[in-house]
Amino acid sequence: MMKSKFYEDLSKEELLGTYLDGFYPQIFKDSPFKVERIWNNRMQHQGIDLLLKKDTKCFYVDEKAQLDYLNISLPTFAFEISYLKRTHWRVGWLVDATKVTQIYFLITNI
């Protein structure tokens, strides 16, 4: 059985989030949208990494990145439909009805 990379992945996600926060002001500088990073675990479990705000509107954004393939250009992106945890199949993030995500930011070619 493969060893879980859960905590290693969380560490990579935190580093990536900090890194991307340096780029978002540049990316959205000519846009009416503002980006706010969410560090709250409860909200992150709901599929919210960022709030994308414009006037009174707020969109829930989940960042998805190919963190296991740094410096490798992949021609595809994986969308998690389901996964096996120990001996139980689980619903993947893409079709998980408990997530409130409205927009996905796909980060590739890191």
Side-chain angles (χ1 to χ4, degrees), residues 19-81:
Y19 177 75
L20 290 173
D21 286 346
F23 286 101
Y24 287 138
Q26 295 170 310
I27 293 168
F28 290 99
K29 74 177 179 179
D30 296 325
S31 163
F33 290 96
K34 300 293 180 220
V35 177
E36 179 184 331
R37 166 83 42 208
I38 299 300
W39 296 106
N40 177 292
N41 283 336
R42 183 185 59 78
M43 291 179 74
Q44 286 188 337
H45 288 324
Q46 293 177 312
I48 307 169
D49 290 320
L50 301 171
L51 298 178
L52 188 60
K53 298 178 177 183
K54 178 187 175 205
D55 302 322
T56 60
K57 294 182 181 178
C58 183
F59 300 95
Y60 300 137
V61 179
D62 193 354
E63 296 168 317
K64 296 296 180 186
Q66 297 175 332
L67 293 172
D68 287 334
Y69 304 96
L70 300 177
N71 295 317
I72 299 171
S73 181
L74 295 176
T76 187
F77 203 96
F79 294 92
E80 187 177 83
I81 306 295

Side-chain angles (χ1 to χ4, degrees), residues 84-102:
L84 185 64
K85 184 172 183 180
R86 297 188 183 94
T87 59
H88 295 75
W89 280 102
R90 307 279 177 133
V91 174
W93 55 262
L94 185 63
V95 293
D96 186 344
T98 67
K99 306 296 186 224
V100 296
T101 306
Q102 296 168 297

